[in-house]
C-alpha cells in the first residue's frame, strides 16, 4: 500500500522544469516552469492539485515495451522475457513538484488485439496519453495514429497532453536511429505530441522522460486550477495563457489530422 503521508522519495523531487528531448517536437520549450505556476506554488495557492492523482495512460502495439518502460522507472527492473499485459495494470508514483505533492497513476494497457476492448474501458479521464512504439519497427510507429485516435475517443482532446515515445533505442545503430527519428518527429508534430526515445534495458532517458511527464502534467494541472479559482472569484472564465512558444497548454487542440 502506498503511504500518502510518508515523505516523497528524495529522487522524486522536481525543483526545476526538466528539459524536453527534441525542440522540434516538444509540448513547450520554455526553460523554466510557467511564472504563474511558480508563484502559485511559492505562495501555496495550488488549491486541490496537491491532493489529486493524475491519470496517465500508456498505449501502443503489443510488445513495444510499455510494461518494461513503467517497470524500469517505478521498480528499476528489466525483464527480457515477454509477458503480455492482460487488460490493464497500474503503478502509482508520488512526486513533489515545486514543493507541492503530486501523484501519477500510470496505467499500463494491453497492446494485444484480443485484450484491447478491456483495456480501452480504462482510457477515460486521462491527463496525459503516452503512445509507445518500437524504434526498430516502423509498423509500430505507423500504428501510433490509431492508438491516439482510440485514446482520444474517451478523452477531451483539448484537456490532455500527449507524448510519443520510441522504445528499445539500445537495439538500433546510431544511423538506423537517426533515420527513424526523422519520421517519428513528423508524426509527433502532426499529433502535437512531445517526442522521446528511451531504452528500458539500459535505462537511457527513462527517468528524464517520466520527470518531464510529471512536470508538464503538474504545470497544466496548476494552470487549470488557477483558471477555475479565478473563474469562481469573478464569476467568469479567465484564460491564463502565455505569449511564448506554448502551443499545447494554451491553444485549444485541433483534432489532429490523423484521427479524422
Ligand atoms: N532490448 C530491449 N528490449 C526491450 C526493451 N523494452 C522492452 N523490451 C523487450 O520487449 C518485449 C516486450 O516488452 P513489454 O514491456 O512486455 O511489451 P508491452 O508493450 O508491455 O506488450 P503488451 O503488454 O503485450 O502490450 C520483452 O521481451 C522485453 O524484454 C528495451 O528497451 N530494450
Ligand atoms: Mg505490457
Amino acid at each position: 500500500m502506498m503511504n500518502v503521508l510518508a515523505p516523497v522519495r528524495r529522487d522524486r523531487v522536481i525543483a526545476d522544469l526538466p528539459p524536453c528531448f527534441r525542440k522540434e517536437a516538444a509540448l513547450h520549450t520554455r526553460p523554466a516552469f510557467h511564472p504563474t505556476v511558480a508563484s502559485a506554488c511559492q505562495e501555496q495557492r495550488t488549491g486541490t492539485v496537491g491532493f489529486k492523482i493524475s491519470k496517465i495512460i500508456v498505449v501502443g502495439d503489443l510488445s513495444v515495451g510499455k510494461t518494461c518502460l513503467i517497470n524500469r522507472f517505478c521498480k528499476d527492473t528489466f525483464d527480457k522475457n515477454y509477458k503480455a499485459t492482460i487488460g490493464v495494470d497500474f503503478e502509482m508514483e508520488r512526486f513533489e513538484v515545486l514543493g507541492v505533492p503530486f501523484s501519477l497513476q500510470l496505467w499500463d494497457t494491453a497492446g494485444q488485439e484480443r485484450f484491447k476492448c478491456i483495456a480501452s474501458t480504462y482510457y477515460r479521464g486521462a491527463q496525459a496519453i503516452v503512445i509507445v512504439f518500437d524504434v526498430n519497427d516502423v509498423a509500430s510507429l505507423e500504428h501510433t495514429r490509431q492508438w491516439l485516435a482510440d485514446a482520444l475517443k474517451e478523452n477531451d482532446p483539448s484537456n490532455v497532453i500527449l507524448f510519443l515515445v520510441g522504445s528499445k533505442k539500445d537495439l538500433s545503430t546510431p544511423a538506423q536511429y537517426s533515420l527513424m527519428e526523422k519520421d517519428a518527429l513528423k508524426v509527433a508534430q502532426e499529433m502535437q505530441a512531445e517526442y522521446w526515445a528511451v531504452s528500458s534495458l539500459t535505462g537511457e532517458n527513462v527517468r528524464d522522460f517520466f520527470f518531464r511527464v510529471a512536470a508538464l502534467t503538474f504545470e497544466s494541472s496548476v494552470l487549470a486550477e488557477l483558471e477555475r479559482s479565478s473563474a469562481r472569484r469573478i464569476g467568469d472564465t479567465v484564460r491564463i495563457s502565455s505569449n511564448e512558444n506554448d502551443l499545447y497548454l494554451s491553444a485549444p487542440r485541433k483534432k489532429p489530422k490523423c484521427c479524422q
Side-chain angles (χ1 to χ4, degrees):
M1 252 315 268
M2 185 184 72
N3 182 352
V4 289
L5 297 173
V8 171
R9 283 169 52 179
R10 288 187 64 170
D11 61 352
R12 293 289 184 262
V13 173
I14 302 177
D16 300 298
L17 181 71
C20 63
F21 179 65
R22 290 284 182 264
K23 288 199 163 57
E24 307 92 300
L27 290 182
H28 70 63
T29 54
R30 285 193 302 272
F33 279 106
H34 198 298
T36 322
V37 171
S39 58
C41 293
Q42 192 145 35
E43 296 155 17
Q44 301 183 335
R45 288 187 291 106
T46 50
T48 59
V49 170
F51 309 103
K52 276 198 192 131
I53 297 170
S54 289
K55 179 173 179 176
I56 312 295
I57 60 170
V58 182
V59 300
D61 276 6
L62 75 152
S63 198
V64 292
K66 300 178 293 296
T67 301
C68 286
L69 177 62
I70 291 172
N71 286 345
R72 171 57 79 196
F73 181 65
C74 298
K75 304 176 182 162
D76 202 19
T77 57
F78 178 80
D79 187 349
K80 64 177 178 11
N81 302 308
Y82 171 50
K83 283 188 220 81
T85 302
I86 296 166
V88 290
D89 250 325
F90 79 87
E91 288 290 335
M92 287 284 272
E93 273 299 327
R94 295 171 59 222
F95 294 84
E96 189 187 290
V97 190
L98 296 176
V100 180
F102 188 65
S103 296
L104 293 186
Q105 200 177 34
L106 300 169
W107 287 82
D108 178 18
T109 69
Q112 281 195 30
E113 197 57 44
R114 59 191 164 135
F115 302 130
K116 224 185 136 177
C117 58
I118 316 170
S120 63
T121 61
Y122 293 88
Y123 289 174
R124 189 157 302 172
Q127 257 205 282
I129 302 170
V130 176
I131 310 149
V132 184
F133 71 98
D134 176 346
V135 300
N136 312 287
D137 174 6
V138 67
S140 72
L141 175 61
E142 282 158 16
H143 298 157
T144 58
R145 293 184 171 92
Q146 189 56 49
W147 286 106
L148 173 64
D150 291 345
L152 285 183
K153 276 180 207 149
E154 306 293 330
N155 285 288
D156 173 2
S158 60
N159 271 328
V160 74
I161 56 182
L162 305 178
F163 294 88
L164 179 70
V165 178
S167 64
K168 310 192 189 183
K169 193 166 178 281
D170 59 283
L171 293 178
S172 71
T173 65
Q176 287 167 332
Y177 175 76
S178 61
L179 212 66
M180 185 286 317
E181 195 187 71
K182 285 201 187 76
D183 294 333
L185 287 171
K186 268 187 229 142
V187 176
Q189 284 161 356
E190 208 180 288
M191 290 177 168
Q192 303 186 352
E194 177 159 310
Y195 173 70
W196 280 78
V198 300
S199 166
S200 305
L201 186 146
T202 65
E204 184 184 356
N205 297 337
V206 171
R207 184 177 180 274
D208 293 347
F209 166 65
F210 281 106
F211 269 48
R212 182 84 176 158
V213 172
L216 292 180
T217 310
F218 176 81
E219 190 172 55
S220 79
S221 299
V222 176
L223 286 173
E225 180 73 21
L226 292 173
E227 225 176 271
R228 270 195 299 277
S229 64
S230 64
R232 272 200 300 276
R233 258 201 313 281
I234 63 169
D236 203 344
T237 305
V238 175
R239 284 233 134 241
I240 297 160
S241 60
S242 142
N243 52 7
E244 283 161 88
N245 181 10
D246 189 359
L247 260 170
Y248 305 97
L249 291 174
S250 59
R253 182 186 305 284
K254 297 183 294 294
K255 213 166 184 207
K257 280 200 244 21
C258 50
C259 39
Q260 280 166 357

